[in-house]
Amino acid sequence: MTRRIGFRGPKNLAHNTTTTLMPDSGFKIVKTFFARKSSKEIPVDLPVVEEDAVDSTQHGRAFDRRNYSIVTRLGRGSFGHVDLVRSNGNLYALKSQKTRQPAFGGEIDAHLLVCQRGDHQNIVKLHYASGNDNKTGLIAMEYCDGMSLSRLTTLLSEDQLRPIARQVVSGLMFLHSIGIIHRDVKPENLILCRDGTVKIIDLGVAHNTNTSSPTSASGTLLYMSPEQITCMDHPLSYGDKVDCWAMGVSLVELALGKLPNAHLPKHEAVAIIKKGDPPTLGRMKRTHNIDREFSVDFQEFILSCLKRSPHERASAVELSRHRWLTMQDEDGVTQSLVDIVNEGLRRRDSHTKK
């Protein structure tokens, strides 16, 4: 039996339906578009589930919105909260939206587009999405058993950062190839799993460029590119290279344990990101008196991410071909990452039990 997910729109809108078959996952996504008679078709923001939940789990039954138990709270914010839940024997990260907001519909839309294009091993996978009449919504995603890079207590070496960067670039290449800009790449949204796999999570402010160009300063301030910062003053369209800038900032932070411009007042940080010198490894080492050595190739890779002009900045595809990223990993590097995340999870679980 196929499973369908559709969009419900206002009663005064005409609609038509397009169906995409997902041969690998065994379900169909039915996406309904609504349009006023005199305007072009537009997607309505929140979906409702028809028949059963969308599910791409290979083992066990689908996520059941009527039958799940909360294991623990994973996080909370102004949007609502994220819980680790169990349903039909499987674990999911369940994001609950308190109020209907355009960004939540955009997040679902981005996840659905990823599903339609076949998913990617470095992008968190959608299993279920819904909205209802009391203006709340749910998104059930795969549970990534690991830790965000922001919670690691050990500074990673250049050799350890390479396989992480390689996987992030691979995930960004996929998103960009289907027209999705993540807009919030940062260590907190990069999960290092127990097996060494890296997952890009949280498409909460992702933008679908198939429908329009982004013109807002969405994301996390200190990881924003100069062109995003400019949008704080006036709308300006930008492209997917903002994710490459954010990745460069993230690598600097992970390599040195210092987030560029975090020690400055907000207005000074904004001014520096907008018109100052990019936060290269050398400049950050001098600013914070850090004694760590890095290869020329690694420094050039980060510099490729942090070119002020997006026209000069490397794209995800170009980064994937960079000499530093294509180097062969040393023996034991992946295992060292596995050991780091497992030790971190052991300490977290031990602290939780206390």
Side-chain angles (χ1 to χ4, degrees):
M1 181 183 72
T2 60
R3 300 182 176 93
R4 297 177 174 84
I5 184 166
F7 286 78
R8 176 179 296 160
K11 294 181 179 179
N12 63 335
L13 298 186
H15 71 275
N16 60 70
T17 302
T18 59
T19 303
T20 302
L21 179 63
M22 299 292 292
D24 295 332
S25 57
F27 64 82
K28 289 182 180 179
I29 292 179
V30 180
K31 190 173 182 181
T32 304
F33 293 88
F34 299 84
R36 301 186 188 279
K37 295 181 179 179
S38 60
S39 64
K40 64 180 181 179
E41 295 179 352
I42 56 173
V44 175
D45 55 355
L46 284 177
V48 294
V49 171
E50 302 171 358
E51 298 182 10
D52 205 349
V54 170
D55 179 64
S56 53
T57 304
Q58 298 300 315
H59 305 287
R61 296 168 56 199
F63 173 83
D64 186 349
R65 69 187 187 278
R66 304 178 189 86
N67 182 24
Y68 66 85
S69 58
I70 297 177
V71 178
T72 187
R73 176 64 47 86
L74 296 176
R76 70 176 70 215
S78 59
F79 65 87
H81 53 265
V82 179
D83 293 316
L84 174 62
V85 303
R86 188 183 303 277
S87 178
N88 290 323
N90 297 309
L91 291 174
Y92 302 90
L94 184 65
K95 185 174 184 178
S96 303
Q97 180 80 3
K98 292 188 298 186
T99 58
R100 178 175 293 189
Q101 298 177 5
F104 195 65
E107 180 175 5
I108 293 176
D109 192 52
H111 274 296
L112 287 177
L113 186 54
V114 170
C115 282
Q116 289 174 328
R117 299 301 175 89
D119 289 317
H120 189 278
Q121 64 177 357
N122 300 121
I123 307 295
V124 65
K125 186 178 296 185
L126 172 74
H127 287 283
Y128 170 92
S130 74
N132 56 40
D133 293 338
N134 62 2
K135 298 185 178 180
T136 62
L138 294 175
I139 296 181
M141 297 162 286
E142 72 171 301
Y143 171 57
C144 303
D145 188 14
M147 296 185 70
S148 72
L149 295 182
S150 64
R151 300 189 64 183
L152 298 182
T153 57
T154 303
L155 278 181
L156 299 178
S157 69
E158 177 183 328
D159 290 332
Q160 290 171 324
L161 286 172
R162 185 182 295 109
I164 290 174
R166 188 182 295 126
Q167 294 182 71
V168 175
V169 167
S170 180
L172 291 179
M173 283 176 59
F174 175 77
L175 288 178
H176 296 171
S177 72
I178 64 175
I180 297 294
I181 306 177
H182 188 282
R183 298 202 295 179
D184 203 16
V185 175
K186 57 183 178 180
E188 184 179 348
N189 288 336
L190 303 174
I191 303 296
L192 178 60
C193 300
R194 287 184 185 270
D195 63 356
T197 300
V198 176
K199 297 279 189 178
I200 300 175
I201 66 169
D202 196 354
L203 300 181
V205 295
H207 188 91
N208 184 353
T209 61
N210 296 293
T211 56
S212 65
S213 296
T215 58
S216 63
S218 297
T220 303
L221 178 65
L222 295 180
Y223 300 90
M224 287 185 188
S225 65
E227 57 267 36
Q228 285 173 290
I229 292 293
T230 301
C231 290
M232 297 175 68
D233 299 324
H234 55 82
L236 176 71
S237 63
Y238 52 83
D240 54 30
K241 290 183 181 179
V242 299
D243 289 341
C244 300
W245 173 282
M247 179 181 170
V249 174
S250 298
L251 285 175
V252 170
E253 179 183 8
L254 292 169
L256 299 177
K258 296 287 185 180
L259 174 59
N261 304 313
H263 62 293
L264 299 174
K266 178 180 176 180
H267 70 280
E268 291 185 24
V270 167
I272 288 180
I273 296 172
K274 191 174 180 180
K275 296 184 178 180
D277 294 325
T280 60
L281 282 172
R283 187 169 292 109
M284 284 288 293
K285 285 170 59 178
R286 291 191 296 272
T287 300
H288 297 282
N289 194 26
I290 297 174
D291 184 20
R292 292 198 85 189
E293 296 301 321
F294 302 101
S295 70
V296 173
D297 288 328
F298 182 42
Q299 294 182 67
E300 288 181 348
F301 179 85
I302 290 181
L303 188 60
S304 298
C305 297
L306 298 178
K307 293 289 186 180
R308 177 162 306 286
S309 169
H311 301 294
E312 298 177 4
R313 192 181 310 147
S315 66
V317 172
E318 291 168 333
L319 289 175
S320 72
R321 301 168 182 160
H322 193 279
R323 174 181 169 83
W324 179 74
L325 209 64
T326 57
M327 289 181 180
Q328 184 174 352
D329 294 331
E330 294 185 2
D331 293 340
V333 169
T334 299
Q335 185 58 49
S336 70
L337 291 174
V338 170
D339 292 341
I340 288 173
V341 70
N342 283 329
E343 176 61 19
L345 291 172
R346 187 192 65 78
R347 291 181 179 180
R348 182 200 65 185
D349 294 342
S350 176
H351 182 267
T352 301
K353 290 178 181 178
K354 292 179 181 179

